[in-house]
Amino acid sequence: MRSAFELKQNMVAVGILWKYGYYDQVRKTDQTMDVLFEEKVYGFLQKTDIKFTISISGHEVWVTAFYLPPEIFRTAPLFLLSTHLPENDYLAKTISHKLYHSNPETKLAASILLGLGGVKLFDYLEWQPEIYHLNESHALPLAFYLYNKYKNKEEVRKRLVFTNHTPEEGGNPKTNIFLTEKMGFFCGIPITEVRSITQTDGDLLDHTLTALGLSGLANAVSKAHLQTLHKMWDKYQDICPLLSITNAQNFSYWANKPMYAALEERNEQRLHSIKLTCKEQLFEIVADQNGEILDKNALTLVFAKRFTGYKRADLILRNMERFDRLVNNKNRPIQFIWAGKPFPMDYAAVGVFDKIVNVCKSYNNCSILVGYELTLSRLLKQGADIWLNVPRLTHEASGTSGITAAMNGAINLGTPDGWFPEFAKDKVNSFVVPPANSNLPDHQQDDEDANSFYDLLEKEVIPMYYDYPSSWLSIMKNSMQDIVPYFDSNRMAAEYYEKFYNKLLEEQIEKRSASIDKPVLA
């Protein structure tokens, strides 16, 4: 959205204003993590007089919209929908209370709010978008609204594009088709017709497959992810063409400008000095949260991103004997910092977080932080020497934390998945962990990748940091230079406009021209 603003693209976004946000990550009395749902009040959003109704589970639900003007955060215009209105009963109000609600009916209701509510917002404003872009399948009822309007699959495909952001099961939902119909997800289309247009034989509606079937184009978010999507979906008939548009991050927002100024001036001493200052600022947060005083001169490795199984926050703890030897080396000290938020109902990921909390209690050079939001994210990236990206191969669609880390002078160390293979030049701008065979069982992959990770740290990373500082600085500079312009989101936004929106429109023009030029046979 920032890049759309910078490029002056003709775009408007629609989301949901969650009354309690995602959640606030706090600590219990024993320092393990806890989940706090606290009401959010955003003074920078403009209330509007917009009000209309949508049908959910046979009931009329009132919807309003809040507006984020472009000048506030230098973004494209954004509307955020809410059902928290006095005209609604309590149940209807809860639709816009919590992101990723555990109740299946509430999840479906939120999808209806976003998809049907979004398109009805444009109807209310008397706007007619040329292209609708589904970012994941959350707003899938929009596709059914369009089908109900045009009664023709090809007419829907002319107007709809779709982005898939993960191959993981949790991000590709399947719901009972009868419950989904009861909730009003299909906008009044008979279930027999729904089965026909969604390739649904049994009782489970595959949301991703449906989006692929009703869109004119769909994209993966990295070249590696595209290969995975082809393996997952090419067996199905009548899905749209797939292409890749690799994720990126907004350089204007994320980049450490003083570091880049020093880089441009070729002032290595200044670059190194800024990094040390950034480490000190990060370590103040560590001291506040964990009571640990870290050393700015020690090699600092950071793992900070969403906590989920395949991202493997605890991979470094796979062999505690080797881990213990690494962190207790007084001659070449290293420091580990973890941060990140699991989904609140992902108890396995919460368990990994809590496991790391208890490991950190045994070491004064290991810390785990709560409250991984934008401010802490920036401090971690500015203060990291090494940024860890170690997903299990083929599971990471993109991942972007390492992109912003590189914009802040951190060197990426990771397995070659997601965006990383398109960037990484081993020991030139990053460190690459040789990956295990992705066909192995998960536990074997994890064992092999952990051993490769330890070897890389012991034989390459730590010796270079302490014995060859000029080589280390060279990798850091290469990383900062190589991350732009390709991984600046301005490139990504331009590709979406050219390869996605304009391409779909051009195809429609070509088809219309072909039909006009076609001779009429008597």
Side-chain angles (χ1 to χ4, degrees):
M1 297 304 293
R2 293 179 188 274
S3 288
F5 176 90
E6 292 174 16
L7 298 175
K8 294 182 171 55
Q9 292 180 335
N10 189 16
M11 182 185 302
V12 176
V14 180
I16 295 176
L17 180 61
W18 301 106
K19 185 175 178 61
Y20 296 95
Y22 179 19
Y23 73 93
D24 292 307
Q25 186 186 40
V26 294
R27 294 187 191 268
K28 297 178 181 176
T29 55
D30 63 352
Q31 295 192 16
T32 55
M33 72 158 275
D34 205 355
V35 172
L36 173 66
F37 290 104
E38 183 178 61
E39 182 178 350
K40 308 298 180 189
V41 179
Y42 301 108
F44 52 80
L45 291 177
Q46 292 182 3
K47 294 181 180 179
T48 71
D49 295 328
I50 297 169
K51 281 187 182 179
F52 55 86
T53 62
I54 58 176
S55 179
I56 299 179
S57 193
H59 299 277
E60 292 300 301
V61 174
W62 282 93
V63 179
T64 188
F66 291 77
Y67 180 59
L68 177 66
E71 61 271 15
I72 302 297
F73 297 120
R74 295 177 59 82
T75 64
L78 170 65
F79 287 95
L80 296 170
L81 306 177
S82 174
T83 59
H84 200 81
L85 288 168
E87 292 90 341
N88 289 327
D89 61 21
Y90 176 75
L91 192 61
K93 290 177 181 178
T94 64
I95 295 169
S96 60
H97 274 189
K98 297 177 183 177
L99 177 65
Y100 301 130
H101 205 287
S102 59
N103 184 292
E105 288 92 345
T106 310
K107 282 183 180 178
L108 289 169
S111 289
I112 297 168
L113 171 61
L114 182 59
L116 180 58
V119 73
K120 290 195 74 172
L121 168 68
F122 291 132
D123 288 345
Y124 180 96
L125 296 171
E126 298 182 350
W127 291 355
Q128 184 62 56
E130 290 181 293
I131 299 292
Y132 296 93
H133 183 175
L134 296 183
N135 197 25
E136 290 286 25
S137 62
H138 303 301
L140 187 58
L142 163 63
F144 293 107
Y145 174 89
L146 293 175
Y147 185 82
N148 200 36
K149 179 178 181 179
Y150 295 106
K151 305 294 192 293
N152 184 296
K153 202 169 180 179
E154 289 306 315
E155 289 298 318
V156 178
R157 286 172 166 168
K158 290 178 183 179
R159 296 165 174 82
L160 195 64
V161 293
F162 169 64
T163 298
N164 176 267
H165 281 275
T166 179
E168 295 301 289
E169 184 176 348
N172 295 279
K174 297 177 182 178
T175 54
N176 181 279
I177 195 167
F178 299 106
L179 174 62
T180 309
E181 180 193 34
K182 175 181 176 293
M183 294 299 296
F185 199 91
F186 303 132
C187 302
I189 302 171
I191 199 164
T192 304
E193 184 70 8
V194 170
R195 287 186 182 277
S196 173
I197 64 175
T198 63
Q199 304 185 52
T200 302
D201 294 325
D203 292 344
L204 287 180
L205 176 78
D206 189 319
H207 292 220
T208 301
L209 178 61
T210 300
L212 291 171
L214 293 175
S215 298
L217 289 171
N219 78 290
V221 290
S222 71
K223 293 177 181 177
H225 181 216
L226 180 61
Q227 295 175 6
T228 301
L229 288 190
H230 279 304
K231 292 176 183 176
M232 292 174 65
W233 302 109
D234 280 358
K235 60 189 175 185
Y236 294 97
Q237 301 295 317
D238 200 31
I239 65 170
C240 64
L242 300 173
L243 55 93
S244 69
I245 299 176
T246 300
N247 274 351
Q249 287 280 12
N250 187 255
F251 183 83
S252 299
Y253 179 79
W254 281 106
N256 186 310
K257 303 306 190 297
M259 278 190 179
Y260 273 94
L263 182 67
E264 187 174 344
E265 296 164 3
R266 300 184 180 181
N267 190 334
E268 294 186 352
Q269 184 177 353
R270 173 73 176 145
L271 189 60
H272 179 65
S273 174
I274 294 170
K275 173 55 76 171
L276 292 181
T277 300
C278 289
K279 291 172 81 170
E280 289 178 323
Q281 292 169 346
L282 170 60
F283 296 167
E284 288 181 10
I285 305 299
V286 173
D288 285 346
Q289 285 203 26
N290 296 125
E292 305 291 0
I293 299 176
L294 301 184
D295 179 2
K296 68 178 181 181
N297 295 307
L299 175 63
T300 302
L301 298 91
V302 173
F303 180 102
K305 57 194 90 255
R306 180 169 64 90
F307 266 54
T308 189
Y310 75 86
K311 290 182 184 284
R312 301 189 296 187
D314 58 346
L315 185 69
I316 187 63
L317 307 178
R318 195 79 182 171
N319 184 328
M320 285 305 296
E321 183 179 340
R322 293 189 74 174
F323 175 79
D324 189 77
R325 191 163 65 240
L326 280 169
V327 297
N328 283 321
N329 188 334
K330 303 301 181 185
N331 295 321
R332 294 182 172 184
I334 64 172
Q335 302 167 149
F336 282 97
I337 302 173
W338 286 267
K341 295 169 72 170
F343 291 140
M345 304 304 173
D346 184 351
Y347 298 114
V350 172
V352 170
F353 190 98
D354 292 346
K355 167 187 170 183
I356 296 171
V357 167
N358 284 284
V359 168
C360 289
K361 291 178 182 179
S362 301
Y363 301 95
N364 60 13
N365 53 348
C366 295
S367 296
I368 186 165
L369 306 177
V370 295
Y372 186 56
E373 309 290 350
L374 287 174
T375 299
L376 179 57
S377 176
R378 186 186 298 275
L379 287 169
L380 285 160
K381 288 157 184 173
Q382 291 178 345
D385 293 311
I386 287 287
W387 193 264
L388 299 174
N389 297 291
V390 287
R392 200 174 290 123
L393 211 62
T394 75
H395 288 262
E396 186 69 272
S398 176
T400 58
S401 67
I403 295 172
T404 49
M407 293 176 181
N408 286 277
I411 297 173
N412 277 275
L413 185 157
T415 48
D417 204 10
W419 73 278
F420 195 44
E422 297 174 49
F423 166 79
K425 301 170 188 171
D426 191 28
K427 301 175 191 61
V428 175
N429 65 7
S430 54
F431 295 98
V432 180
V433 178
N437 187 329
S438 60
N439 293 319
L440 292 173
D442 287 353
H443 71 279
Q444 286 184 271
Q445 289 185 58
D446 294 350
D447 286 340
E448 288 192 19
D449 284 344
N451 285 327
S452 297
F453 182 38
Y454 294 128
D455 289 342
L456 185 60
L457 282 181
E458 292 168 349
K459 296 174 182 178
E460 302 282 353
V461 178
I462 296 172
M464 185 182 293
Y465 182 83
Y466 285 105
D467 298 339
Y468 302 97
S470 61
S471 297
W472 184 272
L473 199 59
S474 176
I475 293 180
M476 176 180 165
K477 291 189 297 182
N478 290 340
S479 173
M480 292 176 64
Q481 290 169 331
D482 292 351
I483 206 68
V484 287
Y486 187 76
F487 292 98
D488 177 7
S489 58
N490 282 13
R491 183 272 311 160
M492 178 188 73
E495 284 195 10
Y496 270 111
Y497 223 80
E498 294 160 11
K499 296 171 66 174
F500 227 36
Y501 313 141
N502 285 345
K503 182 178 180 182
L504 195 64
L505 291 172
E506 289 166 3
E507 287 179 356
Q508 305 317 317
I509 293 170
E510 289 174 3
K511 287 178 181 178
R512 283 198 295 269
S513 298
S515 64
I516 291 170
D517 296 339
K518 190 175 181 180
V520 178
L521 301 179

